[in-house]
Amino acid sequence: EFLLKQFPQHAEADDARIARGKLKLIQGDGNGAIEIFKSVNPVSDRYPVALQYAGATYWAMYVDGKKKGDAGAAEHRKTAVELMQQSAAEFKKNTGAGQIAAQQETQLLLAEMHLEQDETAAALPLLQPLVDGLKSKQLTSLDRNSLRILVSALRAYSSENQPQQAVEVGQILLAAGDDIPVVNGVLIEFARIVRSNWKKTANELAAAEQSKEEGRINNAKLAEAAARESLIKVQTQISARKQIDLGGQVFLAETCQDLAQNFKVLGENDK
């Protein structure tokens, strides 16, 4: 209150407004928080952060309303998306060094909003710079935001039929992701992508052998062998994890059967 009275037009006052909005959220007053967030000065460099908080609050109201079947949930979603898009636009105009994390949160949440509606083409441009940032680091563990980025990116790459990018993200999850259900569930989806890629190469090998074209056969054999080895590696790494649900265990077992049958066809029964 002191900051708001003494320095109403200064950045410190906008910090105070955002803090008051957060306190309203703690008290369960989402509408009151939104009103305060929207009161931040539009010319302030805190404005995009305030828009983000307002959008995130509308989004939380949408998610809660959707579960309850509220008629107004769709309108809350629309407003949330509009505010997050506005926040992203404001960040592009003026992003201070201390606001990079806030800008990334806007990008990530907006991408998650798009993915919730299966709008993967719109989500990918928002996620790609976040994924590139993680790739540039030596990750030994994943915090909540890193996990959100990788999970969203894997979904988007899978839907947009970009298997190579999905594999790269999946390898990061395998290397740095904890052995917990939320990570393992995504890794099973990753393994499905790798198995699907192997199946495609196996089908191409069968078609090549029927064509009797030596060059095509040799290329198909190399591609199938590489895809199979990749699947075996992923299968082995995921199978070592403990917290895999029943559906994931069944998938892993079926994949083992597929690989065993493939080795049998190749005459390598010992494998």
Side-chain angles (χ1 to χ4, degrees):
E1 292 295 340
F2 172 78
L3 284 167
L4 289 170
K5 289 176 182 177
Q6 295 294 320
F7 314 104
Q9 301 303 317
H10 288 243
E12 289 78 7
D14 287 325
D15 286 334
R17 291 184 180 98
I18 290 173
R20 287 184 65 198
K22 289 181 179 180
L23 289 171
K24 286 287 184 182
L25 288 177
I26 292 171
Q27 294 172 330
D29 185 2
N31 289 319
I34 289 168
E35 185 178 346
I36 293 173
F37 292 141
K38 287 184 174 181
S39 71
V40 170
N41 193 339
V43 301
S44 168
D45 61 1
R46 270 63 164 183
Y47 187 54
V49 177
L51 290 172
Q52 177 202 109
Y53 279 118
T57 305
Y58 270 115
W59 181 252
M61 293 165 67
Y62 158 70
V63 172
D64 186 55
K66 184 181 178 182
K67 291 178 183 176
K68 297 176 181 177
D70 291 349
E75 191 62 30
H76 284 149
R77 185 188 190 284
K78 179 183 176 183
T79 305
V81 172
E82 289 173 351
L83 286 168
M84 296 306 287
Q85 288 173 333
Q86 191 179 352
S87 173
E90 290 293 331
F91 271 125
K92 287 181 179 178
K93 293 178 185 177
N94 181 21
T95 305
Q99 292 183 302
I100 293 175
Q103 182 182 20
Q104 291 177 341
E105 174 61 23
T106 289
Q107 286 179 237
L108 178 55
L109 187 51
L110 186 54
E112 290 172 337
M113 291 176 178
H114 285 306
L115 287 174
E116 192 258 349
Q117 294 288 308
D118 294 323
E119 299 166 350
T120 51
L124 264 181
L126 296 164
L127 291 168
Q128 191 60 58
L130 304 179
V131 173
D132 291 341
L134 291 179
K135 286 181 181 178
S136 67
K137 302 175 182 177
Q138 291 291 331
L139 296 173
T140 56
S141 63
L142 299 175
D143 58 24
R144 181 174 178 273
N145 271 13
S146 298
L147 184 59
R148 286 169 61 201
I149 292 167
L150 294 172
V151 168
S152 296
L154 188 57
R155 283 184 57 196
Y157 288 138
S158 303
S159 297
E160 290 298 301
N161 194 27
Q162 297 185 21
Q164 184 56 45
Q165 290 86 340
V167 166
E168 291 176 1
V169 169
Q171 290 295 345
I172 296 173
L173 279 169
L174 271 172
D178 292 331
D179 186 356
I180 56 176
V182 66
V183 173
N184 294 341
V186 177
L187 287 174
I188 292 295
E189 292 305 310
F190 167 52
R192 291 183 192 278
I193 295 169
V194 179
R195 186 172 77 167
S196 176
N197 183 53
W198 170 59
K199 290 282 191 180
K200 288 178 183 177
T201 61
N203 291 337
E204 167 56 22
L205 177 56
E209 289 173 338
Q210 287 186 349
S211 74
K212 308 296 184 183
E213 298 175 21
E214 187 175 349
R216 182 181 176 186
I217 292 172
N218 290 335
N219 289 335
K221 282 183 177 179
L222 289 172
E224 189 277 334
R228 179 165 20 99
E229 288 303 316
S230 178
L231 176 59
I232 291 170
K233 180 181 178 182
V234 169
Q235 176 88 354
T236 303
Q237 289 174 300
I238 296 177
S239 296
R241 290 170 171 259
K242 304 298 183 184
Q243 298 193 49
I244 299 174
D245 64 17
L246 180 59
Q249 292 181 46
V250 170
F251 168 79
L252 293 172
E254 289 175 342
T255 303
C256 282
Q257 288 181 314
D258 284 350
L259 288 165
Q261 182 61 35
N262 181 259
F263 281 124
K264 186 177 180 181
V265 169
L266 295 172
E268 300 181 40
N269 293 324
D270 58 317
K271 291 189 178 182

